[in-house]
Amino acid sequence: MRTRPLTLTLLQQVLGGPRRPPWRPLLKLGHPKVAPAGRMSTQSIHYLKPVALRLPPGIPESPSRQRRHTLPASEFRCLTPEDAASVFEIEREAFISVSGTCPLYLDEIRHFLTLCPELSLGWFQEGRLIAFIIGSLWDEGRLTQESLTLHRPGGRTAHLHVLAVHRTFRQQGKGSVLLWRYLHHLGGHPAVRRAALMCEDVLVPFYERFGFYPVGRCAVTVGSLTFTELQCSLRGHSCLRRNSNC
């Protein structure tokens, strides 16, 4: 019996016709009729790992990228007795250097922050106190000497004892921002109908911008200093607090 040589044609007949290459290109580049020269080895495929792109030394980052890292964290919150030392440090520098006295001393600050912390507001940047307001409740129509040290829980008037800004942040409008936020904060307390404060005459125009109006000379005096008493209705601020469209 003669055996036929195992030719390529015979091998194709035995195996069932011509076989296609066991791989297909994922992408066809250039002319579709061009075929690869040989079989691609999977060992030659290198997968790229994601690498963070960095600028060469000496080339600054774009301002938008820098801003994400340099914007200070800003927070408004009620003060606590633990904040008393930081409060007094700012207040002492702001008032004693000018008038020789403080609206509140350290023990009085702790007193009000223990009894009525909800009537205070501090502005913090990166955890550092930069401005604050401390208040308490009063239950009479006008401020008196007793209103400087007492908190009357049933009162309808929020007495603003002190507003102060750290020296490195003054002349930047931060006192205005803080006072506006504080009045809106008071507007969230339904029992509080108005705010009251006393200040020197030179500061009256500043507070009038926020709805305060003079009600006459204040009965409180500190040494030779006299003050004007101002009051502000919180009805409008309460409306803004509840509904930004008011």
Side-chain angles (χ1 to χ4, degrees):
M1 178 177 179
R2 298 180 59 184
T3 61
R4 296 173 59 183
L6 188 61
T7 63
L8 177 61
T9 303
L10 181 59
L11 180 61
Q12 290 175 348
Q13 292 176 357
V14 172
L15 297 178
R19 293 178 62 84
R20 296 181 179 179
W23 58 273
R24 292 181 181 178
L26 296 179
L27 296 176
K28 295 182 179 180
L29 303 177
H31 299 287
K33 294 182 180 181
V34 176
R39 182 173 298 180
M40 180 180 295
S41 172
T42 57
Q43 296 180 353
S44 63
I45 300 177
H46 299 280
Y47 296 96
L48 297 178
K49 296 181 180 181
V51 178
L53 298 179
R54 299 181 181 274
L55 294 174
I59 300 179
E61 294 182 340
S62 64
S64 61
R65 183 176 178 84
Q66 291 177 348
R67 191 175 300 115
R68 289 196 295 269
H69 298 286
T70 58
L71 269 178
S74 187
E75 177 189 15
F76 294 86
R77 65 166 173 82
C78 295
L79 299 170
T80 67
E82 288 72 24
D83 299 312
S86 299
V87 168
F88 184 59
E89 180 182 352
I90 296 175
E91 185 190 19
R92 180 174 56 184
E93 188 279 329
F95 288 92
I96 290 184
S97 60
V98 176
S99 62
T101 186
C102 283
L104 297 174
Y105 284 88
L106 185 57
D107 57 341
E108 296 169 325
I109 293 171
R110 290 197 180 102
H111 172 73
F112 285 119
L113 295 185
T114 300
L115 291 180
C116 48
E118 72 280 0
L119 297 176
S120 67
L121 188 65
W123 187 351
F124 294 81
Q125 287 190 353
E126 296 182 337
R128 178 189 181 188
L129 181 66
I130 67 167
F132 68 89
I133 294 175
I134 293 179
S136 64
L137 289 180
W138 186 240
D139 58 357
E140 297 183 19
R142 297 288 296 270
L143 299 177
T144 68
Q145 201 73 30
E146 290 183 329
S147 65
L148 300 183
T149 57
L150 296 181
H151 168 62
R152 300 275 178 81
R156 298 281 184 157
T157 299
H159 174 202
L160 281 64
H161 292 273
V162 57
L163 184 162
V165 179
H166 192 281
R167 62 181 179 274
T168 58
F169 296 93
R170 291 174 196 155
Q171 306 301 320
Q172 300 177 24
K174 286 184 167 49
S176 299
V177 173
L178 180 63
L179 180 57
W180 187 256
R181 281 182 171 264
Y182 182 75
L183 293 174
H184 287 187
H185 172 69
L186 291 180
H189 296 266
V192 183
R193 300 293 181 83
R194 62 181 178 179
L197 59 86
M198 61 183 197
C199 68
E200 297 181 71
D201 293 344
V202 67
L203 294 175
V204 170
F206 169 78
Y207 288 105
E208 286 179 330
R209 290 160 43 194
F210 299 90
F212 285 88
Y213 55 90
V215 294
R217 303 305 296 178
C218 186
V220 179
T221 60
V222 178
S224 60
L225 295 177
T226 60
F227 306 95
T228 297
E229 183 174 339
L230 297 95
Q231 296 181 0
C232 172
S233 171
L234 296 175
R235 182 176 303 174
H237 295 283
S238 176
C239 177
L240 290 172
R241 177 81 175 177
R242 294 192 302 268
N243 187 347
S244 59
N245 296 323
C246 289

